[in-house]
Amino acid sequence: MFLLPEKLRGRSYGSQLLMAIEEEAVRRGCKRAVVETSSFQAPQFYRHHGFEEFGKVEFVIPGHARIFLRKNLQ
């Protein structure tokens, strides 16, 4: 789990960190990655990096949900 402080966003730090995580996962033999985020947090960030949504659980707050995304690493 990680959170990139707002003042550091837009500088490719999140993309670099995600790429390093994916590379390490492949090195360890992982075939797929799964992430969980909230609709108001980072789903677009993960979609931009090749993740696809496969599940959603609505929150009590209308219009917001927990989003589950996956990506094949090979």
Side-chain angles (χ1 to χ4, degrees):
M1 179 183 293
F2 73 93
L3 168 78
L4 192 63
E6 191 169 340
K7 66 182 179 180
L8 298 177
R9 294 177 193 163
R11 299 181 184 181
S12 298
Y13 294 132
S15 296
Q16 291 173 36
L17 180 57
L18 183 59
M19 185 171 26
I21 291 166
E22 289 181 11
E23 288 172 0
E24 180 62 15
V26 169
R27 189 185 73 73
R28 293 179 182 211
C30 297
K31 308 278 188 231
R32 289 176 285 294
V34 175
V35 296
E36 174 187 345
T37 190
S38 296
S39 57
F40 55 87
Q41 290 176 322
Q44 287 304 110
F45 170 80
Y46 291 109
R47 288 183 187 112
H48 175 75
H49 290 283
F51 284 79
E52 63 178 5
E53 184 178 319
F54 72 91
K56 181 187 290 189
V57 177
E58 298 293 331
F59 288 153
V60 176
I61 303 166
H64 295 288
R66 176 71 67 208
I67 308 291
F68 299 89
L69 302 106
R70 66 180 164 215
K71 178 180 180 179
N72 288 327
L73 296 177
Q74 295 186 5

